[in-house]
Each structure stands twice: as structure tokens, then as C-alpha cells.
Amino acid sequence: MRDKFRILLGIETGETSIVSMLLTQSVFLGVFIGAYDISAYSLLLSTFDEKMMAYGYIISGFAGIILISFCIRFRKRVQISNFALINLIIVTLSTLLFWSALNFHPGNWIVFIVFAMAGPLNILTLFSFWAIVAKLYSANKKISGLADSGLVTGIALISFFIPELISFKLQTYNILLIGGLSLLISTFIQRAISVQIRLNKSGINEKLVKPASESFSSAFRKNKLYRFLGLYATFSVLVAYVILYSFMTITRKHFPVAEEMAGFLGLFTGSMMLLTEFVKRIIIPHYIRFFGIRGCLIISPVLVALVAFFGIIAGVSLGYTESANGYLIFFFLLAFNTLLSKSMKDSVETPSFKVIYNSLQSNIKTEIQNGIFYSVNEVGVLLSGILLSVFGFLSFIKIIHFSFLLLILVLVWIFIALRLYKEFRKSLIKSVERADEALLSDKNLFFFDGFRNRFTGQLFFRTNYFDLIIGDYDVLNSIRNEWYFRELIDFALSKNDLNLVSVLKTISINADLDERIRQQSDEAIEILQNISTSFNFSKSHDLN
């Protein structure tokens, strides 16, 4: 059984224990994240009005920026397993301390601190977890995917379990205890992982992180692609928090008691996690194959804009106050937009960014990825808090006006998405034209599963054409981009290129390729051979 598990995941002998512990740990970390977020929002909105959310975002953003800067520097000085263990100990102690304060010395200021620290504690947790997964198994997509699913599973489990706990009169602050205990278990697992890494003789490399060729801030200033990546991520966070703020404002009116809100948020969050996993596993692989990166970058803002537009129409025409006929419609559209923005961010935007990251040079890739995922995210949280605080401070601003603000932000976001794709395309073309060895030597750029769109397939065929006609067929055994083979077949037929007949024969007998591709290759071979026969017959006839 262990051998089948090892073969399925593509890991070496002796690594099964580490992988099993990492996947188990991911579920417990998900339980912590779900429990902490639900309890923090429920406690805050049952104690304060929605304006305190915006103030909490400001403090959370500031604390997150400082914390992530410290983590990145500290990470370079210690081994990855020790770094992860220290982080989890800090987060565990902080969570249990917050629970103790809420339980034995409750106060409004403690509730606010618990809410404001949700983001920074999540950063510490996820940064350490993904750092160790990336360091040990960066090339193994199956393990990364399962770890991500483990986090989603943990969040979904605790989310659906919370309404049941509430029915047994569990106090909301005790949900925080569940998260803390789950994190404590994760810490023990991390300790076991650290010991196993030291005992493992399979060659796992746990050296300190090598310094990048340049810092994220320096690369951000010099490179347009990185700037638009940062802007896209920033507006993604801005839009998500404006939607969440509007949704929680109305939710607070329906569920003024902390336990009632926790039960509702549990069901809502669990449903959101299920939708996220469904979209990620079932819809996105097909969507990215047919629409490519550009389609993935613009789908989120376009859908959010449509829902926001219908929400504005419903609110203006039917009303958005509790006594209005359109109130339930307006609330439903806000809830749906919240569900949509979160699920699309995790299932579409994150995989799209991973595709773009894989086109970057290895000496700056990790720096850019961490900068976007953590630093830029916290800048977005900070800006969201400032923007929402300003809007909330103005007395004439009503809930409907946040939908107008959302629509404006989304339109800018769409423009940034199109510019990001343009810069990504330009960067990709330049890299191929220069035949940058750092990018092409490890095949990550074109053999990454996310790169199955038409543009990449066509571009790589044009780059690879001369290798094929001189008999270098190595690429045919590695690439699985359907558009690459389509472009090859179409080019051979449109140009009547008899030099590609032997290439097509190689494709037609490759059992690892899709049956449809092999059949099209056979048909193309027959057409080209008929053309060759006709040409030879015509030539001999002319000579006679």
C-alpha cells in the first residue's frame, strides 16, 4: 500500500512518512484558519459596528507588511524545518493567549486585537507551511495540489462543524480554542517532520536559502511585468475586501448575536470552499486549455462586475433597505459576489499566477512569488482598510454606494488584467527569441501543465521547428500541449511541408499521446504522401 502511495505521488523511498505528515498537517492548519476567521468576524461584528472592520484591516495590513519583511529575512538565516517550527509555536501561543484573554478577562479591545491579528497570524502559518512544501517538493505538482486541497478540506470541515457546535451552546470564543488546539497538533507534526528530515537519507536538500539576484522592490520598479502583477494582485484584494465589507455589513443586521453569525458564516464558508475546489478541479483545467492565461486573468473581474452591476440595478430600482422589496435580492447578490470573488481568487487567479511565475528566471522567481503573495497582499489589505474607512466616515455614504465603488475598481482591474497579459506575452516572446538558457534548459516554461493554451503551443512550435526537421524529436516525448501538435499538423498541411512527414509518423506511433492527435497525424501523413506522389507523377510526366 505504501509503495502504491509512493508511486502515485512520484516520491522517493523513505519520503512517504514526510509526505503523509505534510498532508495531515495541511488539514489541521485549514481547521485553524477556518476556526480563527469565523470566530474573529463573529466576535467583532457582535461587539462593534462594521466601521471597526475597516480599522482592523488597516492595523492588519501594517502588521502584515512588517511581519512578512521579518519572515523573509529570518527565513534566509535558519533551516526551513526549524523556521516552520518556530513560526507554528509563535502562532499557537498567540492563539491560545487570545482565547485565554477572551475567556478570563473579556474586553472589547481584546476582541478588536483578535480580529486585527487574523491576517498576520495566517501569514505566519501559510508562509512556513508553503516554504517547506516548496523547498522539499517544488517540482512535484501532485504534492502541492494535495497540500492545497488539505487546507481547503480543513477549512470546510470546521466550517460545517461549527453550526453543530453552536447548537450545543458552544460560545463563539471557544471556537478559537478549537483552532488553537488544531494548531498545537500541527506543531507536533512539524516537530516530527523536522526529526524525519534529519533522519532521512534520501537526499532531501535543506540548505539555507540563496540570496536572490535582486530584491522584489528593485525588480518591481524595473520590470513592467512585475509591476502589473503587483497591481493585479492589489486590485484583487481591494475588490475582495470591498465585497466582503458590504456583505458583512448586511449580515450583521441579520445575525446580531455572535453565535448566530458564527453558525451562518460556518455554512457560508464551507459552501465557498466546496465551490472553490469544484471550480479548481473540474472547470479550470478545461477553461485554461481553451481560453489560456488571458481568459483566466479577466474572468474574475468580468464576473464580479456583472454581479455588481445587477446588484446596483436591483438596489436602485427595487430598494436596498430592510423595508424595501428588493432588499433580499440585493443581499443575495452581495452574498453571491462574496462567494464568487473568494472562489475565483483561489481557483483561477492563484493557478494563473503560478503559470506566470513558471516563466520567470529561477534566480528571481521565489522573490517575486513571495512578494506578490504576501507583501502585495498585505498592501492591498492596508489600502482596503484606508479606502473603506474614508467611505465609512462620510455620513451620506450608504451601502449601495459601495457597489458603485466596487464597479469602478473592477473596471480598473479589467484594464490592468489586459495590460498584464500584454506584458506577459511580450516577456514570453523575448525570452524565446533570446533562447534564454535559464528558462529553456529545465523545460518549465513550456512543459508546465498550466501552459496548455494555444499561444504557448504555437510559439514553442515555431521556436522548435528547425530542431524537428533536422531530426531532433526529444520534445515530442515531453510536451503535452495539444495546441503544439495542432499547430504542427496545420503548418504541415497548409505549407505542404514534406519535411514534417517523418515527424508526423513519430507522433502517430507515440502511445502516450491522445488518440485524436495520433489519428490527425495519420490523416496528415496520407494527405502529404498523396501530394508527394502527385508531384512526382507530374514531374515524370513533364520529363516524358
Side-chain angles (χ1 to χ4, degrees):
M1 185 67 181
R2 291 171 66 90
D3 289 338
K4 291 182 179 179
F5 178 74
R6 178 176 56 81
I7 295 171
L8 178 65
L9 295 181
I11 56 178
E12 300 294 333
T13 303
E15 294 182 356
T16 307
S17 298
I18 294 178
V19 173
S20 300
M21 286 188 287
L22 275 174
L23 298 182
T24 304
Q25 184 187 45
S26 68
V27 176
F28 282 103
L29 292 178
V31 170
F32 161 72
I33 292 171
Y36 195 107
D37 283 357
I38 291 173
S39 59
Y41 272 99
S42 300
L43 289 169
L44 182 85
L45 292 176
S46 63
T47 307
F48 303 100
D49 63 16
E50 63 275 4
K51 294 179 182 178
M52 292 301 291
M53 271 198 306
Y55 303 147
Y57 295 153
I58 294 175
I59 295 177
S60 179
F62 266 124
I65 293 170
I66 296 171
L67 192 60
I68 197 62
S69 300
F70 173 78
C71 282
I72 291 174
R73 293 178 182 177
F74 182 62
R75 165 67 189 92
K76 297 175 182 178
R77 300 179 182 179
V78 298
Q79 290 186 331
I80 180 61
S81 57
N82 294 333
F83 171 78
L85 184 61
I86 293 170
N87 274 7
L88 287 178
I89 291 174
I90 292 173
V91 178
T92 301
L93 292 176
S94 300
T95 304
L96 294 177
L97 180 64
F98 290 154
W99 171 78
S100 299
L102 289 170
N103 190 28
F104 300 109
H105 301 285
N108 291 353
W109 63 276
I110 296 177
V111 170
F112 181 76
I113 291 176
V114 168
F115 176 80
M117 290 303 295
L121 292 182
N122 282 346
I123 283 179
L124 275 178
T125 304
L126 293 176
F127 188 85
S128 59
F129 176 73
W130 286 119
I132 197 167
V133 171
K135 185 64 178 178
L136 301 182
Y137 303 106
S138 59
N140 195 321
K141 290 195 310 156
K142 290 182 180 178
I143 293 177
S144 298
L146 287 173
D148 186 56
S149 295
L151 288 170
V152 173
T153 300
I155 296 173
L157 284 175
I158 189 61
S159 297
F160 285 124
F161 198 49
I162 282 175
E164 297 298 322
L165 295 175
I166 295 298
S167 66
F168 287 101
K169 308 301 181 182
L170 182 78
Q171 298 296 313
T172 305
Y173 60 81
N174 285 324
I175 299 175
L176 203 62
L177 176 61
I178 296 174
L181 294 176
S182 178
L183 203 55
L184 184 62
I185 296 172
S186 299
T187 304
F188 285 124
I189 294 175
Q190 183 57 51
R191 174 59 181 168
I193 291 173
S194 301
V195 172
Q196 188 64 37
I197 288 176
R198 284 195 290 270
L199 296 176
N200 200 331
K201 304 300 182 182
S202 62
I204 291 178
N205 184 5
E206 205 195 0
K207 294 180 181 179
L208 301 182
V209 174
K210 295 181 180 179
S213 58
E214 59 181 325
S215 65
F216 170 70
S217 57
S218 175
F220 186 82
R221 290 193 300 268
K222 295 177 181 178
N223 192 296
K224 277 188 177 182
L225 174 61
Y226 302 155
R227 286 202 296 273
F228 279 105
L229 269 172
L231 285 173
Y232 185 94
T234 301
F235 270 82
S236 174
V237 175
L238 279 170
V239 167
Y241 274 82
V242 170
I243 294 173
L244 182 61
Y245 183 89
S246 302
F247 172 67
M248 296 304 293
T249 298
I250 295 184
T251 302
R252 174 177 168 270
K253 297 178 180 178
H254 283 281
F255 305 99
V257 179
E259 286 69 30
E260 293 178 353
M261 178 171 287
F264 170 75
L265 291 180
L267 292 174
F268 186 82
T269 303
S271 302
M272 187 163 56
M273 291 299 104
L274 293 181
L275 177 62
T276 298
E277 198 66 9
F278 173 78
V279 172
K280 185 188 299 183
R281 304 298 173 192
I282 306 299
I283 297 178
I284 291 306
H286 301 288
Y287 182 86
I288 195 172
R289 180 173 298 180
F290 289 104
F291 296 98
I293 297 301
R294 177 168 55 182
C296 289
L297 290 174
I298 66 172
I299 185 65
S300 293
V302 167
L303 290 178
V304 169
L306 286 175
V307 177
F309 176 75
F310 287 126
I312 291 173
I313 296 298
V316 171
S317 60
L318 300 176
Y320 55 87
T321 59
E322 290 185 78
S323 59
N325 295 329
Y327 177 74
L328 288 179
I329 298 176
F330 184 72
F331 175 71
F332 171 78
L333 290 173
L334 271 181
F336 181 69
N337 223 358
T338 305
L339 194 71
L340 186 68
S341 66
K342 174 60 178 175
S343 61
M344 295 299 284
K345 182 177 180 62
D346 292 341
S347 61
V348 181
E349 295 172 33
T350 300
S352 300
F353 270 44
K354 288 181 180 178
V355 171
I356 297 176
Y357 294 146
N358 274 274
S359 70
L360 305 182
Q361 298 183 43
S362 56
N363 60 348
I364 192 65
K365 175 181 172 182
T366 301
E367 196 77 15
I368 297 298
Q369 189 168 355
N370 286 338
I372 296 294
F373 191 79
Y374 298 107
S375 301
V376 171
N377 183 81
E378 292 308 299
V379 170
V381 174
L382 173 62
L383 293 177
S384 300
I386 295 173
L387 186 62
L388 292 169
S389 296
V390 171
F391 261 66
F393 182 76
L394 301 175
S395 59
F396 62 88
I397 295 293
K398 306 300 180 184
I399 190 65
I400 189 68
H401 296 119
F402 286 95
S403 296
F404 284 102
L405 172 63
L406 175 63
L407 194 58
I408 294 172
L409 291 174
V410 169
L411 292 177
V412 178
W413 190 19
I414 292 174
F415 170 77
I416 292 172
L418 295 174
R419 287 299 306 272
L420 172 58
Y421 175 75
K422 181 180 178 180
E423 292 301 324
F424 170 63
R425 185 184 175 104
K426 286 166 58 178
S427 174
L428 200 59
I429 292 173
K430 288 180 181 178
S431 298
V432 175
E433 287 176 347
R434 291 194 306 264
D436 193 312
E437 187 175 349
L439 286 174
L440 297 179
S441 60
D442 61 4
K443 306 297 183 188
N444 279 344
L445 178 59
F446 295 105
F447 300 154
F448 180 68
D449 276 357
F451 269 111
R452 293 187 174 184
N453 57 75
R454 177 182 298 186
F455 169 68
T456 308
Q458 293 175 343
L459 183 62
F460 192 39
F461 167 70
R462 293 165 192 168
T463 305
N464 185 244
Y465 173 76
F466 290 104
D467 291 333
L468 292 174
I469 63 175
I470 64 174
D472 184 359
Y473 300 158
D474 288 344
V475 66
L476 301 179
N477 297 321
S478 303
I479 196 166
R480 291 298 178 266
N481 186 322
E482 180 181 347
W483 292 105
Y484 172 86
F485 295 103
R486 285 191 184 187
E487 178 69 11
L488 190 155
I489 295 168
D490 291 344
F491 182 88
L493 293 176
S494 62
K495 302 294 184 182
N496 295 331
D497 193 340
L498 300 179
N499 294 316
L500 291 174
V501 171
S502 59
V503 180
L504 293 169
K505 288 181 178 179
T506 304
I507 295 173
S508 67
I509 61 174
N510 190 339
D512 293 332
L513 295 178
D514 185 77
E515 177 64 28
R516 183 176 52 181
I517 294 294
R518 289 189 286 156
Q519 183 178 353
Q520 290 174 352
S521 298
D522 283 330
E523 294 172 355
I525 292 169
E526 184 178 353
I527 293 172
L528 290 174
Q529 287 178 337
N530 289 336
I531 292 174
S532 176
T533 303
S534 300
F535 175 77
N536 291 333
F537 175 79
S538 175
K539 184 176 181 181
S540 62
H541 181 73
D542 290 341
L543 290 174
N544 292 332

